[in-house]
Amino acid sequence: MQFRGYRDSIRESLSYFGLYRKMHRVKKCMIPESVSFGSHKDQYFLYYEPEHTVSDKIIMWVHGGGWNAGTPKYFDFVGQCVANAGYRFVSIGYRLSPKNKYPCQIEDVCAGYKAALRYLNDKKIDTSKVIVSGPSAGAHLSSILCYSKSVQDTYDVDVSNVVGFIGVGGPYSFSVRTSLSVKLLLNQLFEKNYDRTKGEPCLLMDASDIPMLLIQSRHDGLIDFSCAEEFYNKAVSLGNACELYEVVDKKNTHSWYTAGMFLETREENKGLDKFFSWIEIV
C-alpha cells in the first residue's frame, strides 16, 4: 500500500509537463465575461455563454489549486470545454492562501455564487437548476457551500435552486490518511490553532436533498480514496443521495482527472463522460 502511494505520487509529479503542454494548446472558441464581486483581484467570476445551449442547467464551478494557486482565467480550458458541450458555465474565483486564511475562501465562494445568480437573473436567464462542482480544493469549498447549513446561514446563501453537486478529488475529511503535500497546504490554509472542524466538509455536512456525485481515483497521488469514502458514508448516514464513482481512465493521477479530463473528449475520458452523463439525468 505504501509503495503504491509513493508510486502514484511520483506519477502525479511526472504528469505536469504533459498536462501543461496540452492546456496551452487549447483553442479559445469563446471569450468569457469577467465580473468582479469584490475589491480583491481574485474576487471575480467568468461567465461562458455557449453558442448553442443543450440544457437549462447552469454549471457553477470552483477551481482547485491547493487553495494557494489558480484563478478562473488559468482554468479557462474548463470553461471552454463545458460551454462547447452546450452548458452555461460560471467559474468562481476566491482569495488564495497563505496570505489569506480560511474562512476567506468560503466567504468568497458564497459571495461569488450569489453575485453570479444576480448577474444571470439580470440577463433573464433561468437559474432554477444549478449544478455546483469543483475539483480538489474547489471540491472542498463547493461541498461546504452545498451541504453546510451553518455556512449558508452565516453568509446568507440560498441553495434551494441547486439540483446537484459534483466533487472531483476533494479533501473532504482531515482525519483520514493524508499526504505530506496536503498537510502542508492545510497548514497554509488555516491560522495556527484555528479550529479546523469549521472547515472540514465531512463534519460540516447536514441532511440535504441535493444529490451528489463524487469522482475519485485510487491512484490519485495526493488525496487518498478513503477521503471520498468517508464523505460518501456520511452522506448515506444522513439520507443524502450520493454516488461514488471510481476513476478507471489510465490518466488517473490527481491533476489529470480533476482538471486534465476537460482537455479530452467524452469518448477519450470515461470520467468526463460520467461528469456530463450525470448532469444530463440528475
Side-chain angles (χ1 to χ4, degrees), residues 142-188:
S142 55
S143 66
I144 293 174
L145 166 70
C146 289
Y147 297 105
S148 173
K149 291 181 180 178
S150 62
V151 168
Q152 293 162 11
D153 291 342
T154 298
Y155 299 111
D156 190 28
V157 179
D158 180 4
V159 296
S160 60
N161 56 343
V162 177
V163 297
F165 164 77
I166 303 176
V168 188
Y172 310 108
S173 172
F174 304 155
S175 62
V176 299
R177 185 174 56 188
T178 306
S179 67
L180 177 60
S181 296
V182 174
K183 288 179 180 178
L184 292 174
L185 290 170
L186 288 172
N187 288 340
Q188 289 184 345

Side-chain angles (χ1 to χ4, degrees), residues 16 20-23 35-36 38 45 47 59 63 72-73 88 95 101 115 117 123 153 164 171 175 197 201 208 240 251:
Y16 298 148
Y20 295 152
R21 183 175 60 181
K22 202 163 187 176
M23 283 171 54
V35 181
S36 297
F45 63 81
Y47 172 64
I59 300 175
H63 69 80
K73 291 177 182 177
R88 292 186 170 97
R95 286 168 288 175
K101 301 296 186 182
L117 287 179
K123 283 181 166 286
D153 291 342
S175 62
T197 62
S208 171
N240 299 343
K251 294 178 180 177

Side-chain angles (χ1 to χ4, degrees), residues 30-51:
M30 62 194 72
I31 300 176
E33 297 179 54
S34 180
V35 181
S36 297
F37 59 85
S39 58
H40 192 277
K41 64 180 179 63
D42 291 328
Q43 293 173 314
Y44 74 95
F45 63 81
L46 294 181
Y47 172 64
Y48 297 77
E49 174 70 28
E51 185 175 353

Side-chain angles (χ1 to χ4, degrees), residues 94-128:
Y94 50 90
R95 286 168 288 175
L96 302 174
S97 67
K99 185 175 182 180
N100 302 286
K101 301 296 186 182
Y102 190 89
C104 284
Q105 292 73 26
I106 190 61
E107 177 184 335
D108 287 353
V109 168
C110 290
Y113 175 80
K114 293 193 295 182
L117 287 179
R118 290 194 298 268
Y119 174 81
L120 294 170
N121 287 330
D122 287 344
K123 283 181 166 286
K124 308 302 181 184
I125 294 174
D126 180 9
T127 58
S128 62

